[in-house]
Amino acid sequence: MTFIDWFVLIGTLLAIVGYGTWKTRKQQDMLSYLKGDNSMKWWTIGLSIMATQASAITFLSTPGQAYESGMGFVQFYFGLPLAMVIISAVFIPLYYKLNVYTAYEFLEQRFNLKVRMFTAFLFLVSRGLAAGITIYAPAIVLSTLLGWDLSFTNLLVGVLVIIYTVSGGTKAVSVTQKWQMAVIMGGMFVAFFLTLSYLPESVGFTEAIDIAGIMGKMEVIDTTFDLDNRYTLWTGLLGGFFLSMSYFGTDQSQVQRYLGGKSIKESRYGLMFNGLLKVPMQFFILFVGAMVFVFYQFNEPPVFFNAPGLEKAKQTEYIHDIEKLENRYSATHQEKKNALIGYIEASSDNKEGMKKLAVDLYTAQQEIRAELKETIKVASNETIETKDTDYVFLSFVLKYMPQGVIGLLLAVIFSAAMSSTAGELNALASTTMVDYYKRLSKKEHTDKQEVNISKMFTVLWGIMAIVVAFAANLFENLIQLVNVLGSLFYGTILGVFVIGFFLKWVKGNATLIGALVGQLSVLTLHLLTVYKLIDISYLWYNVIGCGVVVGVGILSQLFIKPNKVERS
Amino acid sequence: MEEGKEWPKLYALILSVLLIEIIVFAWISSLW
C-alpha cells in the first residue's frame, strides 16, 4: 500500500466518523438517542437498512462466490421484497401504534413480561456474538493478505464505531450509514469499470458476458428441488422469505432503523426502497465477481487465493507436489487462454469446437485446483482454511488496481464493517436499556441519566464485540458457527412474532412453551447436523423453528387451562 | 390512514419488479 492509499483510506474513515459525531452532538433524551427524534426521511432509512445488512464480508465474499460458483447466490434474496411488503403492511403500523422503542416491547403488551424477556434474550445472545464476528471476519482476511496485525484491525474498526455510536446514538448510525453506502457503491462501480477496462482489446462487454456464460457463471436461476443445495429458486423464495421476515421484522438492529422514521409513511418507503434495490445490488456485486473471473481467463490467476496460506503449505515436505500442480495449472491456463482467444476470433462455423476446448480446459483447471486444495489440507494438517472465496476479490484488488483505488476499496470494506457493527451495537444497547434496565429498575431517572446509561451500554457492547473478535481467533469453528448463528435463533423469534401478529387467541404462556420447544428443536437439529446424523441446510432452521413455535403454541393454548390474567 | 390507497399499488409494483427480475434471470440462465 502506498501513501496515497493510506491517505484515501484513513481520510475517508475519519471524515465519516467525524461527520457523524459532529452532526449529532446534541442528544438530550432517550427519544433523540434511541429513535433519532423520529426525524429520519425515507432515503436515510432505506440506505441505513441496506448498510446495516451489508457487512464487510458481503463485499469480500460475494464477488469470490461468483468467481467460484456463478451468480446463483442472488436467489438467496428473492424472499426479501415479499418480506418487505408484509412487514410494511402488518408490522410497522403496530409498532407505530404502540409507540415502542424496541420490537420486544410489543411482546409484553401482546403477551407478558416473560415472553418479552425471553425473546429479547435470544436477540442479545445471537446479535452480541454476531457483532464480534462482523468485526473479526474482514479483519482476518485483511490481516492475512496485507500482513497487518489482526489485533490492530479488530481495534481500528471496533474503536472507531464505538466513538460515533456512543456519542450520537441512532441518528449518528443512520447519518454515517448514508455516507458509508455512498463510499461502498462508489467504490464497487470504480472496481467494476476498471475490471472491464483491463480485459483484452478483442473482449468487449458482450464477449465478456459470453465467456462468463459458457463457463457456467451466468446460471442465475436453479429450479431443482434439492434440500442439500443451498441456493435454488425455492430456498431463496421460501427460506429467504422466512430469514428476511425475522431479520427485518423482529431483529432490533433493523427494526430500530425504521422506527426512527419521521412518520409511518417514511418508514414504509424506506423498506420499499430496500425491497426494490436489494436484488439488483446483489446482482451487481456478483456481476463484478463474474467480470473478475473473465479477467482471470486472460491473466493467470493464483491457483490458491490465500497466498500466505499457500506459502505456509510449501514449507512442508509437500512442496514438490504443490509446485507440480502449480506448473500444470499454469500450462492449462495458457492453453485455455489461447482457446478462448480462438473462440472470440473464430467464425461461427468453428466457434463450437473452440468453445468445447476452452470449457474442457477450464474443467481440467478446476480439478487441479481441487487437488491442490486437498494437498494443502493434508500438508497443513487441516490448519489452513482451503475455502478461499473470501480472498479472491481482495487479492485481485491488491494486485491489479491502481494507487488510490486500493485505498478506496479498503475504505469500502471498512465502511461496510463499521456500518453493520454500528447498527448492531446501537440495537444491543437499546434492547439492554429498554427491555431490561428501564423495565426492571425501580429507580426514576432524568433524561440525561437515561441517555448516559444507554451510552454506557453501547460502550459495554462495543467492548464485548471487540473481545469476541479477539476470541474468534482462538476458536477455528466459531466463524462457521456464527454463519448459522442467526438462523439458530431467528426461527423461534419469528414464531413468537407470528403468533403475536396473526393468532390473537394464543396467549403468553402457550407462546412461551412454543418458543422453548421451538428453540430446543432447532438446537437439536443443529447438533444432529454437526455430528452428521442428518443433513439440513441452515436456511431451513428458520422455517422449522418458526413452524414448531407456532404449532406447539397453538396446541398448548388448546390444552392448558388459561389463568385469570390470561383470560382477561 | 389518509394515504391508504397508494400502498397496495406500491406493494404490487415491488412484487411485479421481483417477478420481472426472476423472469429476466431465468432468461439469462437459459442463454448458455
CSV table of all heavy atoms in Angstrom, one decimal, chain A residues 522-553:
chain,number,residue,atom,x,y,z
A,522,VAL,N,-34.6,-26.6,17.2
A,522,VAL,CA,-33.6,-26.1,16.3
A,522,VAL,C,-32.2,-26.5,16.8
A,522,VAL,O,-31.4,-27.0,16.0
A,522,VAL,CB,-33.8,-24.6,16.1
A,522,VAL,CG1,-32.6,-24.1,15.2
A,522,VAL,CG2,-35.1,-24.3,15.4
A,523,LEU,N,-32.0,-26.3,18.1
A,523,LEU,CA,-30.7,-26.7,18.6
A,523,LEU,C,-30.4,-28.2,18.4
A,523,LEU,O,-29.3,-28.5,18.1
A,523,LEU,CB,-30.5,-26.3,20.1
A,523,LEU,CG,-30.5,-24.8,20.4
A,523,LEU,CD1,-30.5,-24.5,21.9
A,523,LEU,CD2,-29.3,-24.1,19.7
A,524,THR,N,-31.4,-29.0,18.6
A,524,THR,CA,-31.2,-30.4,18.5
A,524,THR,C,-30.9,-30.7,17.0
A,524,THR,O,-29.9,-31.5,16.7
A,524,THR,CB,-32.5,-31.2,18.9
A,524,THR,OG1,-32.9,-30.7,20.1
A,524,THR,CG2,-32.2,-32.7,19.0
A,525,LEU,N,-31.7,-30.2,16.1
A,525,LEU,CA,-31.4,-30.4,14.6
A,525,LEU,C,-30.0,-30.0,14.3
A,525,LEU,O,-29.3,-30.7,13.5
A,525,LEU,CB,-32.4,-29.5,13.8
A,525,LEU,CG,-33.8,-30.1,13.6
A,525,LEU,CD1,-34.6,-29.1,12.7
A,525,LEU,CD2,-33.7,-31.4,12.9
A,526,HIS,N,-29.6,-28.8,14.8
A,526,HIS,CA,-28.2,-28.4,14.5
A,526,HIS,C,-27.2,-29.3,15.0
A,526,HIS,O,-26.2,-29.6,14.3
A,526,HIS,CB,-28.0,-27.0,15.1
A,526,HIS,CG,-26.7,-26.4,14.7
A,526,HIS,ND1,-26.3,-26.2,13.4
A,526,HIS,CD2,-25.6,-26.1,15.5
A,526,HIS,CE1,-25.0,-25.8,13.4
A,526,HIS,NE2,-24.6,-25.7,14.6
A,527,LEU,N,-27.4,-29.8,16.3
A,527,LEU,CA,-26.4,-30.8,16.8
A,527,LEU,C,-26.3,-32.1,16.0
A,527,LEU,O,-25.3,-32.6,15.7
A,527,LEU,CB,-26.8,-31.2,18.2
A,527,LEU,CG,-26.3,-30.1,19.3
A,527,LEU,CD1,-26.8,-30.6,20.7
A,527,LEU,CD2,-24.8,-29.9,19.3
A,528,LEU,N,-27.5,-32.5,15.5
A,528,LEU,CA,-27.6,-33.7,14.7
A,528,LEU,C,-26.8,-33.5,13.4
A,528,LEU,O,-26.2,-34.4,12.8
A,528,LEU,CB,-29.0,-34.1,14.4
A,528,LEU,CG,-29.8,-34.7,15.6
A,528,LEU,CD1,-31.3,-34.9,15.3
A,528,LEU,CD2,-29.2,-36.0,16.1
A,529,THR,N,-27.0,-32.2,12.8
A,529,THR,CA,-26.3,-31.9,11.6
A,529,THR,C,-24.8,-31.8,11.8
A,529,THR,O,-24.0,-32.3,11.0
A,529,THR,CB,-26.8,-30.5,11.0
A,529,THR,OG1,-28.2,-30.6,11.0
A,529,THR,CG2,-26.3,-30.3,9.6
A,530,VAL,N,-24.4,-31.2,12.9
A,530,VAL,CA,-22.9,-31.1,13.3
A,530,VAL,C,-22.3,-32.5,13.3
A,530,VAL,O,-21.2,-32.7,12.8
A,530,VAL,CB,-22.7,-30.3,14.6
A,530,VAL,CG1,-21.3,-30.4,15.1
A,530,VAL,CG2,-23.1,-28.8,14.4
A,531,TYR,N,-23.0,-33.4,14.0
A,531,TYR,CA,-22.5,-34.8,14.1
A,531,TYR,C,-22.8,-35.7,12.9
A,531,TYR,O,-22.7,-36.9,13.0
A,531,TYR,CB,-22.9,-35.4,15.5
A,531,TYR,CG,-22.2,-34.7,16.6
A,531,TYR,CD1,-22.9,-33.8,17.4
A,531,TYR,CD2,-20.9,-35.0,16.9
A,531,TYR,CE1,-22.3,-33.2,18.5
A,531,TYR,CE2,-20.2,-34.3,17.9
A,531,TYR,CZ,-20.9,-33.4,18.7
A,531,TYR,OH,-20.3,-32.8,19.7
A,532,LYS,N,-23.3,-35.0,11.9
A,532,LYS,CA,-23.5,-35.7,10.6
A,532,LYS,C,-24.5,-36.8,10.6
A,532,LYS,O,-24.4,-37.8,9.9
A,532,LYS,CB,-22.2,-36.2,10.0
A,532,LYS,CG,-21.2,-35.0,9.7
A,532,LYS,CD,-20.0,-35.5,8.9
A,532,LYS,CE,-19.2,-34.4,8.3
A,532,LYS,NZ,-18.8,-33.3,9.1
A,533,LEU,N,-25.5,-36.7,11.6
A,533,LEU,CA,-26.5,-37.8,11.6
A,533,LEU,C,-27.6,-37.4,10.6
A,533,LEU,O,-28.3,-38.3,10.1
A,533,LEU,CB,-27.1,-37.9,13.0
A,533,LEU,CG,-26.0,-38.4,14.1
A,533,LEU,CD1,-26.5,-38.2,15.5
A,533,LEU,CD2,-25.8,-39.9,13.8
A,534,ILE,N,-27.8,-36.1,10.4
A,534,ILE,CA,-28.7,-35.7,9.3
A,534,ILE,C,-28.1,-34.6,8.6
A,534,ILE,O,-27.0,-34.1,9.0
A,534,ILE,CB,-30.1,-35.2,9.9
A,534,ILE,CG1,-29.8,-34.1,11.0
A,534,ILE,CG2,-30.9,-36.3,10.5
A,534,ILE,CD1,-31.1,-33.3,11.4
A,535,ASP,N,-28.7,-34.1,7.5
A,535,ASP,CA,-28.0,-33.1,6.7
A,535,ASP,C,-29.1,-32.1,6.2
A,535,ASP,O,-29.8,-32.3,5.3
A,535,ASP,CB,-27.3,-33.7,5.5
A,535,ASP,CG,-26.4,-32.6,4.8
A,535,ASP,OD1,-26.2,-31.6,5.4
A,535,ASP,OD2,-26.0,-32.9,3.7
A,536,ILE,N,-29.2,-31.0,6.9
A,536,ILE,CA,-30.2,-29.9,6.5
A,536,ILE,C,-29.4,-28.6,6.4
A,536,ILE,O,-28.6,-28.3,7.2
A,536,ILE,CB,-31.3,-29.7,7.6
A,536,ILE,CG1,-32.0,-31.0,7.9
A,536,ILE,CG2,-32.2,-28.7,7.2
A,536,ILE,CD1,-33.0,-30.9,8.9
A,537,SER,N,-29.7,-27.9,5.3
A,537,SER,CA,-29.1,-26.6,5.1
A,537,SER,C,-29.7,-25.6,6.2
A,537,SER,O,-30.9,-25.7,6.5
A,537,SER,CB,-29.5,-26.0,3.7
A,537,SER,OG,-29.3,-24.6,3.7
A,538,TYR,N,-28.8,-24.8,6.8
A,538,TYR,CA,-29.2,-24.0,7.9
A,538,TYR,C,-30.4,-23.0,7.6
A,538,TYR,O,-31.1,-22.6,8.5
A,538,TYR,CB,-28.1,-23.3,8.6
A,538,TYR,CG,-27.5,-22.2,7.7
A,538,TYR,CD1,-28.0,-20.9,7.7
A,538,TYR,CD2,-26.3,-22.4,6.9
A,538,TYR,CE1,-27.4,-19.9,7.0
A,538,TYR,CE2,-25.8,-21.4,6.2
A,538,TYR,CZ,-26.3,-20.1,6.2
A,538,TYR,OH,-25.8,-19.1,5.5
A,539,LEU,N,-30.6,-22.7,6.3
A,539,LEU,CA,-31.7,-21.8,5.9
A,539,LEU,C,-33.0,-22.4,6.3
A,539,LEU,O,-34.0,-21.7,6.6
A,539,LEU,CB,-31.7,-21.6,4.4
A,539,LEU,CG,-30.8,-20.4,3.9
A,539,LEU,CD1,-30.9,-20.4,2.4
A,539,LEU,CD2,-31.2,-19.1,4.5
A,540,TRP,N,-33.1,-23.7,6.4
A,540,TRP,CA,-34.4,-24.4,6.8
A,540,TRP,C,-34.7,-24.2,8.2
A,540,TRP,O,-35.8,-24.4,8.7
A,540,TRP,CB,-34.4,-25.8,6.3
A,540,TRP,CG,-34.4,-26.0,4.8
A,540,TRP,CD1,-33.4,-26.3,4.0
A,540,TRP,CD2,-35.5,-25.6,3.9
A,540,TRP,NE1,-33.7,-26.3,2.7
A,540,TRP,CE2,-35.0,-25.8,2.6
A,540,TRP,CE3,-36.8,-25.1,4.1
A,540,TRP,CZ2,-35.8,-25.6,1.5
A,540,TRP,CZ3,-37.6,-24.9,3.0
A,540,TRP,CH2,-37.1,-25.1,1.7
A,541,TYR,N,-33.6,-23.9,9.1
A,541,TYR,CA,-33.9,-23.8,10.5
A,541,TYR,C,-34.9,-22.7,10.8
A,541,TYR,O,-35.7,-22.8,11.7
A,541,TYR,CB,-32.6,-23.4,11.3
A,541,TYR,CG,-31.5,-24.4,11.3
A,541,TYR,CD1,-30.2,-24.0,11.7
A,541,TYR,CD2,-31.7,-25.7,10.9
A,541,TYR,CE1,-29.2,-24.9,11.8
A,541,TYR,CE2,-30.6,-26.6,10.9
A,541,TYR,CZ,-29.4,-26.2,11.4
A,541,TYR,OH,-28.4,-27.1,11.4
A,542,ASN,N,-34.9,-21.6,10.0
A,542,ASN,CA,-35.8,-20.5,10.2
A,542,ASN,C,-37.3,-21.0,10.0
A,542,ASN,O,-38.2,-20.7,10.7
A,542,ASN,CB,-35.5,-19.4,9.2
A,542,ASN,CG,-34.2,-18.8,9.4
A,542,ASN,OD1,-33.9,-18.3,10.4
A,542,ASN,ND2,-33.3,-19.0,8.4
A,543,VAL,N,-37.5,-21.8,8.9
A,543,VAL,CA,-38.8,-22.3,8.6
A,543,VAL,C,-39.2,-23.3,9.7
A,543,VAL,O,-40.4,-23.2,10.2
A,543,VAL,CB,-38.8,-23.0,7.2
A,543,VAL,CG1,-40.2,-23.4,6.8
A,543,VAL,CG2,-38.1,-22.1,6.2
A,544,ILE,N,-38.3,-24.2,10.0
A,544,ILE,CA,-38.7,-25.3,11.0
A,544,ILE,C,-39.0,-24.6,12.4
A,544,ILE,O,-40.0,-24.9,13.0
A,544,ILE,CB,-37.6,-26.3,11.1
A,544,ILE,CG1,-37.5,-27.0,9.7
A,544,ILE,CG2,-37.9,-27.4,12.2
A,544,ILE,CD1,-36.2,-27.9,9.6
A,545,GLY,N,-38.0,-23.8,12.8
A,545,GLY,CA,-38.1,-23.1,14.2
A,545,GLY,C,-39.5,-22.4,14.3
A,545,GLY,O,-40.2,-22.6,15.3
A,546,CYS,N,-39.8,-21.6,13.3
A,546,CYS,CA,-41.0,-20.8,13.3
A,546,CYS,C,-42.2,-21.7,13.3
A,546,CYS,O,-43.1,-21.5,14.1
A,546,CYS,CB,-41.0,-19.9,12.1
A,546,CYS,SG,-42.5,-18.9,11.9
A,547,GLY,N,-42.2,-22.8,12.5
A,547,GLY,CA,-43.3,-23.7,12.4
A,547,GLY,C,-43.5,-24.4,13.8
A,547,GLY,O,-44.7,-24.5,14.2
A,548,VAL,N,-42.5,-24.9,14.4
A,548,VAL,CA,-42.6,-25.6,15.7
A,548,VAL,C,-43.2,-24.6,16.8
A,548,VAL,O,-44.1,-25.0,17.5
A,548,VAL,CB,-41.3,-26.1,16.2
A,548,VAL,CG1,-41.4,-26.7,17.6
A,548,VAL,CG2,-40.8,-27.2,15.2
A,549,VAL,N,-42.7,-23.4,16.8
A,549,VAL,CA,-43.2,-22.4,17.8
A,549,VAL,C,-44.7,-22.2,17.6
A,549,VAL,O,-45.5,-22.3,18.6
A,549,VAL,CB,-42.4,-21.0,17.7
A,549,VAL,CG1,-43.1,-20.0,18.7
A,549,VAL,CG2,-41.0,-21.2,18.0
A,550,VAL,N,-45.1,-22.0,16.4
A,550,VAL,CA,-46.5,-21.7,16.1
A,550,VAL,C,-47.3,-22.9,16.4
A,550,VAL,O,-48.4,-22.9,17.1
A,550,VAL,CB,-46.7,-21.2,14.6
A,550,VAL,CG1,-48.2,-21.1,14.3
A,550,VAL,CG2,-46.0,-19.9,14.4
A,551,GLY,N,-46.9,-24.1,15.9
A,551,GLY,CA,-47.6,-25.4,16.2
A,551,GLY,C,-47.8,-25.7,17.6
A,551,GLY,O,-48.9,-25.9,18.1
A,552,VAL,N,-46.7,-25.7,18.4
A,552,VAL,CA,-46.7,-26.0,19.8
A,552,VAL,C,-47.5,-24.9,20.6
A,552,VAL,O,-48.2,-25.2,21.5
A,552,VAL,CB,-45.3,-26.2,20.4
A,552,VAL,CG1,-45.3,-26.5,21.9
A,552,VAL,CG2,-44.6,-27.4,19.7
A,553,GLY,N,-47.3,-23.7,20.1
A,553,GLY,CA,-48.0,-22.6,20.8
A,553,GLY,C,-49.5,-22.8,20.7
A,553,GLY,O,-50.3,-22.7,21.7
